[in-house]
Amino acid sequence: MEPLVGIVIVSHSAQIAAGTVELARQMAGPELRIEGAGGMPDGSLGTDAGAIMGAIQAVDAGAGVLVLVDLGSAVLATQTALELLGDETAARIRLSGGPLVEGAVVAALQASLGDALEAVHAAAEGAAALPKLPG
């Protein structure tokens, strides 16, 4: 079996990251490689580039990694993590501007089907247009 795209959830809150991971994993199945990087090492709110880097390394099976973030400074911490990982690894990483929860769920479903990184990334980005209300 070919490796699946991995997914990392970056949130300022460890609880939000863990809950989003739990929901996405429930929808996509146990074979999905998904990790959260939420909060600071002392338990406070924030984002930690070292934790993000570790999560990326944990889910990277060679098919690429999609990183979803909650707020703007999470982007900065993720960019720092990518710099620390180096160009070769960073080339296999995509950062999504899609909605955190909806993007994580649709990306997880696409990844679990074995879709390539670009398709998983597009699914997460497209989640912003998914209607939540009927009509």
Side-chain angles (χ1 to χ4, degrees):
M1 183 173 154
E2 292 290 318
L4 301 178
V5 170
I7 297 175
V8 172
I9 306 300
V10 178
S11 174
H12 285 71
S13 164
Q15 292 174 316
I16 289 173
T20 304
V21 166
E22 178 185 21
L23 179 61
R25 186 173 281 129
Q26 281 287 325
M27 300 296 285
E31 61 280 340
L32 178 69
R33 298 173 71 98
I34 183 169
E35 293 285 330
M40 299 299 288
D42 66 0
S44 64
L45 295 177
T47 54
D48 177 48
I52 296 166
M53 185 174 71
I56 290 170
Q57 291 170 323
V59 303
D60 186 5
V65 176
L66 180 69
V67 180
L68 292 106
V69 298
D70 63 355
L71 300 170
S73 61
V75 173
L76 297 175
T78 300
Q79 289 170 333
T80 299
L82 293 178
E83 289 174 16
L84 294 171
L85 287 166
D87 292 341
E88 185 178 318
T89 300
R92 294 190 317 272
I93 313 300
R94 298 294 177 273
L95 184 56
S96 174
L100 184 68
V101 176
E102 295 91 337
V105 170
V106 297
L109 290 169
Q110 293 304 125
S112 72
L113 295 172
D115 284 358
L117 179 58
E118 297 308 325
V120 174
H121 184 208
E125 297 286 310
L130 292 174
K132 289 186 181 184
L133 301 175

